[in-house]
Amino acid sequence: MEEIKIQYQKKVNYLSFVKKIFEEKNKKFILFDSAMGTTLQKMGLKAGEIPELFNFTHSDIILDIHKQNIKAGSDIIITNTFGANEIKLKGCKYSVEDVVQKAVSLARKAAGKKYVALDLGPTGQLLEPLGSLKFEQAYGLYKRQVIAGADAGADLIIIETISDLYEAKAAILAAKENSSLPVFCTMTFDQNGRTLTGTDPITMVNVLEGLGVDVIGINCSLGPKDILPIVDEILKYATIPVMVQPNAGLPEYVDGETVFNVSPEEFASFMGEIAKKGVRILGGCCGTTPEFIGILSDELKKIDPAVPEPVSFTCACSSTKTIIFNKNQPKIIGERINPTGNKIIKNALINQDYGEIINEAIVQKEAGADVLDVNIGLPEIDEPVIMVKLIKELQGIIDIPLQIDSANFEALEAGARIFNGKPILNSVTGKEKHMEQIFPIAKKYGACVIGLTMDEKGLPKTIEQRVEIAEKIINTANQYGIPKKNILIDCLVLTASTHQDQVLKSLKAMQIIKQKFGVTTVLGASNISFGLPRRDLINQTYMAMALTYGLDAPITDPLMPEIMETIFAYRVLSDIDKNSEDFISRYSNKQPEKLLLKEKTENSLSNIVIKGLLNQVEQKTLDLLKNTQPLSIIDNHLIPSLDIVGDMYDRGDIFLPQLIRSAETVKKAFKIIKSNMPHEQEKELTKGKILLATVAGDVHDIGKNIVKVLLENYGFNVVDLGKDVPIDSIVSACIEQNIKLVGLSALMTPTVENMKKTIEKLQKSDNECKIMVGGAVLNEKYANMINADYYGKDAREAVEIARKFFQNTK
């Protein structure tokens, strides 16, 4: 396994760069510039041209745009490198280094004493498990840009318009490990308050702050009015400066041109409201020009910023869910992924067959686990390598955070690096050498870490010694820049059969530590009963005692009914579960817990699809084929299951990663069914033929690829022409293949004009077809203006459009 850097090459004084800008000119706000692409359109950029190549072919225009923004009041200008990565520049005569260095030199020439930000946009591809781009590959793409930009003299790095938290992490690590430049990072959110891949503001803040960015924020997608609720959420939690760069409203197509529906004056007014809330770094994205910046600059002179007071708490995050360890709301850490005493888990790890481990993860989550402990400690395996593989598998299917558990600090490092979220590291002790190994990992990845109250002298025998070790761990963590909120203290449970006198001492020490230091507390509660009869009784009683002493997060087996019953009953009796709603919902008029857990593990094809169990779908499909007709499996099992998944997605119960995983599970089943059908029946599988293409000039195919996956798994035959497809190629393919439904995608505002031209040419062709459109820059009104027949706001809606269309054309 490639060696991973534990610490960044050079430490930057936290927030020193931002403070310097505020203090050097007594500034109340820092102002970024306007949208490069929008201004380039007005100055000759044609749909399909690569904006970054203007650095060479029209360097005078790029220089002039920078100067206009500086004149308008920008303190920081962004280089024309948004798409300057290996993927988007493939086939160009200029290398990544050529483009980045030229862009920085032009910005530097215009900036004078102002600052130059190296712009890193999205790669244009989805990372695994949603797409084919590996995390390590994304890191490599950004690393190349960072090194080139740092060498060219950029003052800072801005990572912007990111819709995937995992991609943001790859970019941040590349920036921090390969330069000493300050790092700003902004993500783009939909109106539902989440990114494309399901990340909400609280999760973004906690994960990206932990990775050490200097500024966090939001840009693109929405106008300043629509962005306000998301800004409020970010300010509620962010402990570092926040920046906001909205679009100039929504795009419209007027007299053959793309325009935005918010004027510079309206933009400045709304941004003034955002500034009053405490956002001190502002700028503009799509649709804004230097005129917007000039008026905004004047508006900001009238405003005194608020000083937000963010909420502080201990939490762990997956990419879509944040678990807060509220001091009055016990959270459950599931302990069952552990090879100790479990031959099934042990063999799964040795054979690298993770199906049983995934099943354990799912069952624990359904039983009520809030976080899953992942322990793979075996001498027979390469623990860092297996940890990476297993975490990739788990985070592709489970939407709750993980606790990375290992005595091997290299495995902890590898797991923290690859995890898409904010993990918990289990664990560190009060030993100096141990803290020297673990705390740099926790600091670098912003992870929580469990501190065990033991040190070089071993397990303490007194309450006072436990408290002293806890204080030492907390103080040492602080010296590494790890806040107290990221420390969880474990006073260590010793078995009552051999250390009966220590049982209450552990609990009393935990109570004192919690009250004195205000930290979250954890316990490996199941150890208490080892060696005694009626372990269930001991465990249940001890759990009740521990909760009353202030236990925040038991590490336990959530499949033990007596444990879960105790926790839910405690919540009622402690006035946490108001009106006993959770307790009633869980236990009223339901079968006993043991039967309920058994039912949850049933292995029907529907459950396999809904849970996205790729490792189980093949055998289950083959079993069904022995007694069930292929089309019946599709119509009565696969499609209804996908509908359930789609409904869950629409409600916000699951997000894009889970939706795609279920779709891929169906795809695997379809392949098996098709291979077992008579050739003459295969045509019955196809619900209709659809052509998909990203229009000419647009090199982004994320949205199109997601639509393709879902359509194929609903049984549609998809003709995928790819990205940046010429108009004539789309028209010719439709005629040659007698296509009746076309799906066109566009992510970039300049290429919507090509979408309109494509629609016009299709409608004039000899082949009669209907056209649905989608993409980040579109809305229903815009789709109507360019004469599209249907607008699909997301992949799920595209499927519904296709189903209704082909039902009506039969």
Side-chain angles (χ1 to χ4, degrees):
M1 183 174 183
E2 183 180 350
E3 183 180 354
I4 299 172
K5 304 170 186 176
I6 297 293
Q7 293 179 307
Y8 298 127
Q9 290 182 345
K10 180 180 177 182
K11 280 192 174 182
V12 180
N13 185 19
Y14 192 54
L15 300 185
S16 60
F17 177 80
V18 178
K19 288 181 178 178
K20 176 184 176 183
I21 300 178
F22 280 128
E23 293 172 0
E24 67 182 1
K25 294 183 179 179
N26 195 28
K27 295 184 72 66
K28 295 186 293 183
F29 299 98
I30 295 173
L31 196 54
F32 268 76
D33 53 8
S34 59
M36 175 63 72
T38 298
T39 311
L40 283 179
Q41 282 181 261
K42 295 179 181 295
M43 302 183 76
L45 177 70
K46 297 177 182 178
E49 289 188 287
I50 298 175
E52 289 76 17
L53 297 188
F54 262 49
N55 294 330
F56 303 96
T57 60
H58 298 80
S59 56
D60 55 332
I61 291 178
I62 301 297
L63 187 61
D64 183 54
I65 293 172
H66 287 320
K67 287 181 177 179
Q68 287 182 50
N69 279 296
I70 290 291
K71 185 177 180 181
S74 296
D75 301 294
I76 301 174
I77 55 174
I78 299 174
T79 59
N80 183 31
T81 55
F82 181 80
N85 62 61
E86 294 173 37
I87 296 173
K88 293 181 180 179
L89 293 177
K90 187 176 181 180
C92 294
K93 66 177 181 179
Y94 299 104
S95 68
V96 170
E97 289 75 17
D98 293 336
V99 173
V100 170
Q101 289 167 8
K102 182 67 173 178
V104 173
S105 68
L106 290 172
R108 173 63 61 207
K109 186 174 181 180
K113 295 183 179 180
K114 299 292 182 71
Y115 297 95
V116 172
L118 173 66
D119 192 13
L120 304 182
T123 61
Q125 293 194 12
L126 284 171
L127 274 66
E128 291 181 330
L130 297 177
S132 59
L133 187 66
K134 296 182 183 298
F135 179 83
E136 298 84 356
Q137 291 174 318
Y139 173 89
L141 293 171
Y142 285 116
K143 176 181 176 179
R144 187 172 174 186
Q145 293 172 271
V146 166
I147 292 173
D151 289 346
D155 297 305
L156 68 145
I157 294 168
I158 179 165
I159 302 161
E160 63 170 347
T161 324
I162 304 295
S163 59
D164 184 352
L165 188 69
Y166 212 22
E167 184 170 23
K169 181 173 183 175
I172 291 166
L173 288 175
K176 302 286 283 184
E177 289 181 346
N178 297 285
S179 81
S180 59
L181 299 179
V183 179
F184 294 21
C185 185
T186 58
M187 296 191 72
T188 180
F189 289 79
D190 296 332
Q191 284 188 311
N192 64 3
R194 290 183 179 265
T195 69
L196 173 68
T197 55
T199 299
D200 58 359
I202 184 175
T203 301
M204 178 196 77
V205 170
N206 280 286
V207 173
L208 299 192
E209 272 198 11
L211 290 169
V213 298
D214 296 272
V215 173
I216 198 169
I218 178 174
N219 81 298
C220 205
S221 289
L222 304 172
K225 181 179 179 180
D226 293 328
I227 221 167
L228 279 169
I230 302 171
V231 172
D232 286 337
E233 282 293 294
I234 294 173
L235 288 172
K236 185 177 178 180
Y237 304 112
T239 62
I240 60 177
V242 173
M243 70 180 292
V244 175
Q245 292 180 295
N247 289 345
L250 297 173
E252 296 180 355
Y253 202 74
V254 180
D255 297 330
E257 291 186 6
T258 300
V259 298
F260 286 77
N261 63 2
V262 172
S263 68
E265 292 76 16
E266 290 175 298
F267 184 86
S269 177
F270 283 121
M271 291 294 278
E273 295 302 311
I274 289 173
K276 290 176 185 176
K277 292 175 178 289
V279 174
R280 299 188 66 188
I281 305 172
L282 305 101
C285 205
C286 299
T288 63
T289 64
E291 180 186 3
F292 282 73
I293 300 302
I295 296 174
L296 175 57
S297 179
D298 292 337
E299 180 71 19
L300 293 177
K301 293 173 184 176
K302 311 171 191 175
I303 296 170
D304 290 320
V307 181
E309 295 183 4
V311 179
S312 180
F313 47 76
T314 301
C315 72
C317 311
S318 68
S319 66
T320 59
K321 182 174 292 186
T322 293
I323 298 297
I324 297 174
F325 293 92
N326 188 303
K327 299 298 187 292
N328 296 316
Q329 181 69 288
K331 300 298 181 184
I332 300 161
I333 301 175
E335 67 179 4
R336 291 176 61 87
I337 301 176
N338 189 326
T340 304
N342 189 324
K343 290 184 178 180
I344 295 176
I345 298 294
K346 179 179 179 180
N347 290 334
L349 291 170
I350 293 172
N351 298 324
Q352 297 188 41
D353 181 2
Y354 304 119
E356 289 296 335
I357 298 177
I358 289 172
N359 290 341
E360 280 287 4
I362 291 171
V363 170
Q364 288 186 89
K365 180 198 167 185
E366 291 180 344
D370 300 291
V371 177
L372 295 183
D373 186 89
V374 180
N375 184 323
I376 61 169
L378 282 176
E380 300 98 318
I381 65 174
D382 186 333
E383 207 171 324
V385 171
I386 300 303
M387 183 69 81
V388 168
K389 290 181 179 180
L390 182 55
I391 287 177
K392 284 184 175 182
E393 288 284 337
L394 289 171
Q395 70 187 11
I397 197 167
I398 293 293
D399 66 345
I400 57 176
L402 299 182
Q403 178 168 288
I404 303 169
D405 188 350
S406 178
N408 182 329
F409 79 93
E410 292 179 347
L412 287 178
E413 158 76 8
R417 186 178 187 85
I418 208 68
F419 180 61
N420 187 8
K422 177 180 179 177
I424 302 172
L425 304 183
N426 191 12
S427 54
V428 68
T429 68
K431 297 178 181 179
E432 293 290 346
K433 185 176 181 181
H434 201 203
M435 290 189 286
E436 289 173 3
Q437 291 175 327
I438 304 304
F439 281 147
I441 301 172
K443 171 59 180 174
K444 178 174 180 176
Y445 298 105
C448 287
V449 59
I450 293 177
L452 306 179
T453 55
M454 59 182 294
D455 58 13
E456 288 84 355
K457 298 177 182 179
L459 293 169
K461 295 183 179 180
T462 68
I463 294 172
E464 292 75 18
Q465 288 171 332
R466 286 182 171 87
V467 175
E468 288 174 5
I469 295 172
E471 185 172 21
K472 178 183 178 182
I473 291 171
I474 294 166
N475 290 339
T476 306
N478 184 61
Q479 294 170 13
Y480 281 86
I482 301 170
K484 188 164 58 176
K485 68 180 182 180
N486 281 358
I487 300 295
L488 300 86
I489 295 295
D490 185 343
C491 284
L492 295 170
V493 175
L494 301 176
T495 59
S497 60
T498 58
H499 297 83
Q500 192 171 355
D501 63 323
Q502 293 294 314
V503 172
L504 279 178
K505 288 181 181 180
S506 293
L507 295 181
K508 289 177 180 179
M510 180 182 70
Q511 185 179 55
I512 293 170
I513 288 166
K514 182 174 180 177
Q515 292 173 348
K516 184 175 182 178
F517 305 116
V519 293
T520 297
T521 57
V522 300
L523 281 176
S526 301
N527 296 335
I528 190 69
S529 62
F530 187 79
L532 291 173
R534 285 299 308 276
R535 291 192 65 181
D536 57 336
L537 180 58
I538 295 291
N539 288 337
Q540 186 174 16
T541 305
Y542 183 72
M543 180 62 70
M545 293 172 63
L547 291 171
T548 59
Y549 273 90
L551 175 61
D552 297 308
I555 303 173
T556 190
D557 182 352
L559 269 63
M560 293 177 67
E562 60 275 7
I563 292 295
M564 301 304 290
E565 289 165 356
T566 299
I567 292 172
F568 276 84
Y570 169 82
R571 289 171 176 171
V572 172
L573 300 176
S574 301
D575 197 29
I576 296 168
D577 181 5
K578 296 298 182 182
N579 300 315
S580 306
E581 290 181 0
D582 291 341
F583 187 85
I584 293 170
S585 173
R586 188 177 181 96
Y587 296 110
S588 178
N589 299 321
K590 289 190 176 181
Q591 54 190 305
E593 186 76 4
K594 290 182 180 179
L595 294 178
L596 182 64
L597 292 176
K598 182 180 179 182
E599 178 183 278
K600 286 181 177 178
T601 61
E602 285 184 0
N603 196 25
S604 69
L605 184 57
S606 293
N607 278 341
I608 288 170
V609 170
I610 292 168
K611 295 170 184 175
L613 300 177
L614 280 166
N615 61 301
Q616 295 183 21
V617 71
E618 181 175 357
Q619 187 58 52
K620 191 63 181 180
T621 304
L622 290 171
D623 290 344
L624 278 175
L625 282 168
K626 294 174 182 177
N627 301 301
T628 310
Q629 290 297 313
L631 291 177
S632 177
I633 296 174
I634 294 169
D635 294 337
N636 298 322
H637 295 270
L638 297 181
I639 299 302
S641 300
L642 266 183
D643 286 341
I644 291 171
V645 172
D647 291 340
M648 293 169 68
Y649 177 76
D650 289 341
R651 292 195 305 267
D653 295 335
I654 62 170
F655 301 100
L656 189 60
Q658 292 79 35
L659 180 68
I660 296 297
R661 178 86 176 199
S662 290
E664 290 292 344
T665 305
V666 170
K667 182 177 181 179
K668 195 170 183 179
F670 261 114
K671 185 176 180 181
I672 295 163
I673 290 170
K674 188 175 180 179
S675 65
N676 283 270
M677 287 181 72
H679 184 69
E680 61 271 13
Q681 289 184 12
E682 286 185 16
K683 61 181 181 180
E684 297 182 51
L685 289 177
T686 303
K687 308 294 184 183
K689 185 188 290 187
I690 304 170
L691 183 142
L692 296 181
T694 301
V695 297
D698 202 319
V699 296
H700 302 85
D701 59 358
I702 290 175
K704 174 188 66 65
N705 290 343
I706 294 170
V707 172
K708 177 185 177 182
V709 169
L710 279 191
L711 286 172
E712 286 181 335
N713 292 297
Y714 267 91
F716 294 99
N717 180 8
V718 177
V719 178
D720 183 7
L721 297 188
K723 57 191 177 185
D724 190 15
V725 184
I727 296 172
D728 289 341
S729 297
I730 295 174
V731 175
S732 298
C734 287
I735 294 172
E736 292 169 4
Q737 302 196 47
N738 193 27
I739 300 292
K740 297 305 178 185
L741 182 61
V742 177
L744 300 178
S745 174
L747 181 67
M748 300 167 61
T749 304
T751 58
V752 178
E753 181 182 350
N754 280 345
M755 182 178 278
K756 183 176 187 296
K757 290 178 180 178
T758 304
I759 292 171
E760 290 173 348
K761 200 152 188 179
L762 281 169
Q763 291 172 341
K764 292 177 181 178
S765 71
D766 295 333
N767 183 64
E768 291 186 9
C769 63
K770 296 293 184 180
I771 302 144
M772 65 175 172
V773 297
V777 295
L778 294 173
N779 54 49
E780 191 160 7
K781 182 180 178 182
Y782 208 10
N784 291 333
M785 282 191 288
I786 60 176
N787 294 319
D789 298 292
Y790 309 102
Y791 165 65
K793 66 180 177 66
D794 56 27
R796 166 77 167 150
E797 192 160 306
V799 169
E800 291 306 308
I801 290 169
R803 291 171 81 173
K804 291 176 182 177
F805 173 80
F806 286 104
Q807 284 172 2
N808 294 333
T809 56
K810 285 184 178 180

